[in-house]
């Protein structure tokens, strides 16, 4: 049974039918718990699909697989187990991502196209999840021993094309991998950071699934923190095909009310501004373009408010969005005005008086806009008051 089980498990744990996957996960759990230490000789064969099943979109399957691992291996030993199987885990996941197709994972003679596609997307999504877990659980020095294998994924257009996948499971898997690389071992992307970051910024701001935006922002913020220079480059190395620059994509994202998921995205904007290169923030039209993008988002929010009148849940959502928007506006404008004055005071080439005049005009214009928005949304006024008051206190300090 032990010899036969790993290939059987790998074949059926990714079945399109979640009931089959749940049954297979239950059998695997019972088996590995029962055989205990005897599992060691078969662990490397089993590790790839077992760890991948942690990321099954069906919670029961994911919970059963992860729980089985935790029952077999005490917490003190788990990192050692992952390290012992690290090569197999990376090989399993990267082979799926780089080499497998719907036709190689399923037999077209017996499986209909929809199930083939579903299984393929499932396998790719959980494979990215597996690589993300490897980066999270393995020491950086050990990971760097496998940098060549990671380069094949992190620097591969074939792998990074999945940032544009229609499957949210796949996109979230890629975001989490990038997040973990940038958080735990940025040196893994030392030789691939340009293509990796360009692929991320070329696709992430078009992601329309709010459920993916939390992972997306983690990836964007950590990538920006580690490799700021990507914001200075074009999105494409193909000079014949002019594409939008990353900052243009960000502004478009803001204008669309963050792809209709503003409560997730607005709190991340200040952190992004704080890590953008000075050359982006100091561009002649950046501040006006950024201000206008946020206010265009407010206009979209006003349109949503009219639709929200039909239901209390929609009205509550619009209220939360208004509060998040005003908080973002107040935080970001405060940051940009403070930065402008600070830079002017420390520069020999910029007149502090002209900068103060510019900031004063900005403050006058933007506070008028803010006040109008505040009065136009009385149902949110109480919660919007705190960031507005904080901004006015900051303005007082800047004027002193």
């Amino acid at each position: 049974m032990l010899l036969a089980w790993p290939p059987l498990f790998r074949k059926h744990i990714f079945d399109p039918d979640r009931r089959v996957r749940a049954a297979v996960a239950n059998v695997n759990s019972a088996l590995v718990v029962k055989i205990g230490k005897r599992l060691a000789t078969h662990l490397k064969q089993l590790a790839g699909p077992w760890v991948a099943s942690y990321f099954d979109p069906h919670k029961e399957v994911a919970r059963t697989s992860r729980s089985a691992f935790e029952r077999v291996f005490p917490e003190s030993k788990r990192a050692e187990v992952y390290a012992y199987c690290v090569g197999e885990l990376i090989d399993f996941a990267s082979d799926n991502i780089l080499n497998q197709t719907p036709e190689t994972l399923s037999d077209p003679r017996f499986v209909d196209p929809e199930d083939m596609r579903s299984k393929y997307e499932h396998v790719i999504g959980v494979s990215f999840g597996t690589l993300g877990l490897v980066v999270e659980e393995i020491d950086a020095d050990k990971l760097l021993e496998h940098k060549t294998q990671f380069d094949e994924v992190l620097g591969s257009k074939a792998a990074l094309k999945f940032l544009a996948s229609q499957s949210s499971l796949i996109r979230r898997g890629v975001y989490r991998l990038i997040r973990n690389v940038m958080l735990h071992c940025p040196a893994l992307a030392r030789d691939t950071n340009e293509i990796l970051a360009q692929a991320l910024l070329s696709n992430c701001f078009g992601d329309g699934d709010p459920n993916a935006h939390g992972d997306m922002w983690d990836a964007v913020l950590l990538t920006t923190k580690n490799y700021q220079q990507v914001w200075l480059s074009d999105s494409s190395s193909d000079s014949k095909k002019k594409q939008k620059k990353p900052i243009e994509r960000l502004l478009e994202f803001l204008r669309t009310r963050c792809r209709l998921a503003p409560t997730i995205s607005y709190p991340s904007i200040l952190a992004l501004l704080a890590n953008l290169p000075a050359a982006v923030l100091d561009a002649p039209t950046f501040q006006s373009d950024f201000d206008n993008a946020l206010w265009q988002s407010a206009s979209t929010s006003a349109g949503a408010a009219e639709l929200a009148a039909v239901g209390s849940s929609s009205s509550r959502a619009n209220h939360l969005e208004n509060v998040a928007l005003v908080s973002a506006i107040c935080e970001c404008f405060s940051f940009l005005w403070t930065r402008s004055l600070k830079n002017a005071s420390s520069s020999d080439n910029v007149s502090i008086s002209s900068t103060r005049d510019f900031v004063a005009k900005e403050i006058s214009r933007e506070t008028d806009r803010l006040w109008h928005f505040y009065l136009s949304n009385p149902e949110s006024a109480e919660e919007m008051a705190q960031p507005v008051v904080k901004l006015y206190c900051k303005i007082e300090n800047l004027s002193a």
Side-chain angles (χ1 to χ4, degrees), residues 322-323 326 373-375 377-378 380-389:
N322 286 342
V323 174
V326 167
F373 185 80
Y374 180 85
L375 294 177
N377 293 276
S380 304
E382 183 176 351
E383 292 186 50
M384 288 192 296
Q386 183 176 354
V388 171
V389 169

Side-chain angles (χ1 to χ4, degrees), residues 177-186 189 196 219 222-223 226-227:
L177 171 59
I178 296 173
R179 174 197 66 195
N180 286 346
V181 167
M182 297 301 169
L183 181 62
H184 298 288
C185 191
L196 174 65
L222 287 165
T223 299
N226 283 286
Y227 297 107

Side-chain angles (χ1 to χ4, degrees), residues 163 168-180 200 204 207 209-223 264 268:
L163 282 162
S168 180
L169 175 67
I170 292 178
R171 296 195 310 277
R172 293 182 72 178
V174 186
Y175 295 148
R176 289 169 180 168
L177 171 59
I178 296 173
R179 174 197 66 195
N180 286 346
L200 173 65
C204 67
D207 197 317
D209 182 3
N211 293 321
H213 283 192
D215 294 316
M216 179 198 86
W217 273 109
D218 285 345
V220 169
L221 292 175
L222 287 165
T223 299
I264 299 172
S268 299

Side-chain angles (χ1 to χ4, degrees), residues 52 55-57 96-97 119-131 162 167-174 176:
F55 304 96
D56 194 292
N96 287 333
I97 293 167
K119 181 176 181 178
Y120 176 69
E121 290 179 350
H122 179 152
V123 170
I124 298 301
V126 300
S127 294
F128 277 112
T130 301
L131 289 179
F162 289 113
S167 167
S168 180
L169 175 67
I170 292 178
R171 296 195 310 277
R172 293 182 72 178
V174 186
R176 289 169 180 168

Side-chain angles (χ1 to χ4, degrees), residues 70-327:
E70 292 172 353
R71 289 173 67 190
V72 173
F73 302 107
E75 186 173 358
S76 60
K77 296 291 184 182
R78 290 170 196 163
E80 294 180 26
V81 173
Y82 288 129
Y84 173 70
C85 299
V86 63
E88 286 71 24
L89 289 170
I90 297 171
D91 286 344
F92 169 81
S94 59
D95 176 64
N96 287 333
I97 293 167
L98 298 173
N99 300 322
Q100 300 303 322
T101 66
E103 291 74 23
T104 59
L105 291 172
S106 303
D107 190 334
R109 296 173 299 172
F110 307 111
V111 182
D112 66 62
E114 179 62 25
D115 282 347
M116 288 173 60
R117 182 192 60 80
S118 175
K119 181 176 181 178
Y120 176 69
E121 290 179 350
H122 179 152
V123 170
I124 298 301
V126 300
S127 294
F128 277 112
T130 301
L131 289 179
L133 181 139
V134 166
V135 176
E136 185 175 9
E137 296 288 344
I138 306 297
D139 289 341
D141 290 342
K142 182 73 171 178
L143 283 173
L144 290 173
E145 294 176 9
H146 298 270
K147 184 176 177 300
T148 300
Q149 292 167 282
F150 274 100
D151 284 347
E152 292 177 357
V153 175
L154 299 177
S156 164
K157 291 183 179 180
L160 296 178
K161 71 179 182 182
F162 289 113
L163 282 162
S165 171
Q166 293 184 352
S167 167
S168 180
L169 175 67
I170 292 178
R171 296 195 310 277
R172 293 182 72 178
V174 186
Y175 295 148
R176 289 169 180 168
L177 171 59
I178 296 173
R179 174 197 66 195
N180 286 346
V181 167
M182 297 301 169
L183 181 62
H184 298 288
C185 191
L188 273 181
R190 182 175 57 234
D191 299 320
T192 58
N193 68 82
E194 185 173 355
I195 186 173
L196 174 65
Q198 285 184 358
L200 173 65
L201 296 179
S202 293
N203 290 283
C204 67
F205 295 123
D207 197 317
D209 182 3
N211 293 321
H213 283 192
D215 294 316
M216 179 198 86
W217 273 109
D218 285 345
V220 169
L221 292 175
L222 287 165
T223 299
T224 301
K225 181 179 180 180
N226 283 286
Y227 297 107
Q228 288 185 338
Q229 72 275 10
V230 71
W231 286 88
L232 303 176
S233 60
D234 291 333
S235 299
S236 173
S237 59
D238 184 358
S239 59
K240 296 181 180 179
K241 185 178 180 182
K242 182 66 175 176
Q243 294 191 20
K244 294 180 180 178
K245 294 180 179 180
I247 196 63
E248 293 171 337
R249 294 179 184 276
L250 171 65
L251 295 175
E252 182 178 323
F253 178 78
L254 295 179
R255 293 186 194 104
T256 63
R257 201 158 54 104
C258 305
R259 303 294 176 192
L260 306 183
T263 55
I264 299 172
S265 295
Y266 284 148
S268 299
I269 298 173
L270 177 61
L272 179 62
L273 287 181
N275 285 286
L276 285 177
V280 171
L281 297 176
D282 294 336
T285 64
F286 172 77
Q287 187 151 337
S288 61
D289 289 345
F290 177 78
D291 296 352
N292 290 332
L294 277 180
W295 285 119
Q296 189 167 335
S297 177
S299 299
T300 310
S301 180
E306 297 178 4
L307 297 175
V310 301
S312 59
S313 61
S314 297
S315 178
R316 175 62 180 169
N318 188 70
H319 162 73
L320 294 174
E321 291 170 8
N322 286 342
V323 174
L325 172 61
V326 167
S327 294

Side-chain angles (χ1 to χ4, degrees), residues 16 19 32 38-39 44 69 84 93-94 96 125 134 138 202 204 214 242 283 331 337 348-349 351 355 369 375:
R19 293 168 299 181
V32 297
R38 288 179 292 161
L39 177 64
K44 288 188 175 183
F69 185 87
Y84 173 70
S94 59
N96 287 333
V134 166
I138 306 297
S202 293
C204 67
K242 182 66 175 176
E331 291 172 347
W337 296 336
D348 296 332
N349 301 319
S351 167
T355 302
R369 284 171 151 180
L375 294 177

Side-chain angles (χ1 to χ4, degrees), residues 9 28 32 39 43 46-54 65 68-69 72-73:
F9 179 73
N28 183 65
V32 297
L39 177 64
L43 184 58
L46 195 59
W50 188 2
V51 170
S53 64
Y54 293 2
S65 290
F69 185 87
V72 173
F73 302 107

